[in-house]
Amino acid sequence: MELFFLIFGATGDIHKKKIYYSLFNFWKNKVSNNLKLLCISRKYYSQTDFKQYVKNILNIMNNDLLKYFKYDSFEDLDNDLDKFINNIIFIKGDYDDINTCIKIKKTIYENSNENPSIISYHGVPDFVSIQISENLFKIFK
């Protein structure tokens, strides 16, 4: 099953502290064999810089990751982190702008071989989350 996990507010504090670690755990435990993270933020990053940003966040937790997943070395962990971040696609955009959602849909279909499942996580204020949901519904119906 191909799964796209949309992350709105991808550079927010909750993502740094919990979400990326949880998604690495999700990926590592092979809950989905084909997991792609579509990270949306109003801040500008290149694809490479954003992937490094996420890897740096996870590197802060190196000792926890080594223990929890029983890695033999930092090198093995680093190899897995590289594999994990290769599943990340970054999009810059305003959350409540329908054009951002159109860009999301286009990106999903450009990076998918099948009809993927989509999960949308909104690490943004409630009033913005409502607009995101409405826009996603409009473009995916």
Side-chain angles (χ1 to χ4, degrees):
M1 169 183 81
E2 194 169 38
L3 174 63
F4 278 81
F5 199 98
L6 310 182
I7 303 172
F8 289 88
T11 56
D13 196 49
I14 189 79
H15 298 92
K16 291 178 198 173
K17 293 179 179 176
K18 295 184 179 188
I19 302 302
Y20 294 118
Y21 179 83
S22 297
L23 288 170
F24 179 76
N25 185 7
F26 188 81
W27 172 83
K28 182 70 177 160
N29 285 299
K30 298 182 182 5
V31 175
S32 172
N33 290 335
N34 199 356
L35 172 69
K36 292 192 172 99
L37 307 179
L38 194 53
C39 301
I40 303 99
S41 177
R42 292 179 296 179
K43 294 180 182 176
Y44 174 77
Y45 283 89
S46 69
Q47 293 296 324
T48 303
D49 289 345
F50 187 79
K51 288 177 181 187
Q52 188 61 50
Y53 168 82
V54 173
K55 187 173 180 183
N56 289 344
I57 290 167
L58 291 170
N59 276 331
I60 291 169
M61 302 174 188
N62 266 347
N63 288 330
D64 291 338
L65 294 172
L66 276 171
K67 290 177 196 171
Y68 183 77
F69 293 111
K70 299 178 179 154
Y71 282 101
D72 293 328
S73 69
F74 281 110
E75 184 179 327
D76 292 341
L77 171 59
D78 195 53
N79 288 336
D80 267 1
L81 289 175
D82 285 338
K83 290 175 191 172
F84 173 72
I85 65 166
N86 280 334
N87 296 308
I88 293 175
I89 302 166
F90 177 76
I91 292 178
K92 183 202 179 307
D94 291 322
Y95 310 133
D96 56 353
D97 183 357
I98 189 79
N99 292 314
T100 299
C101 289
I102 292 168
K103 195 184 318 181
I104 290 167
K105 182 178 182 181
K106 180 180 177 197
T107 301
I108 288 172
Y109 289 110
E110 286 174 349
N111 290 279
S112 177
N113 297 326
E114 55 190 75
N115 191 16
S117 296
I118 299 170
I119 296 174
S120 181
Y121 176 81
H122 306 171
V124 297
D126 290 345
F127 69 93
V128 179
S129 186
I130 292 167
Q131 186 65 54
I132 291 168
S133 297
E134 289 174 355
N135 287 343
L136 288 172
F137 181 75
K138 286 176 191 174
I139 65 152
F140 281 104
K141 67 177 181 177

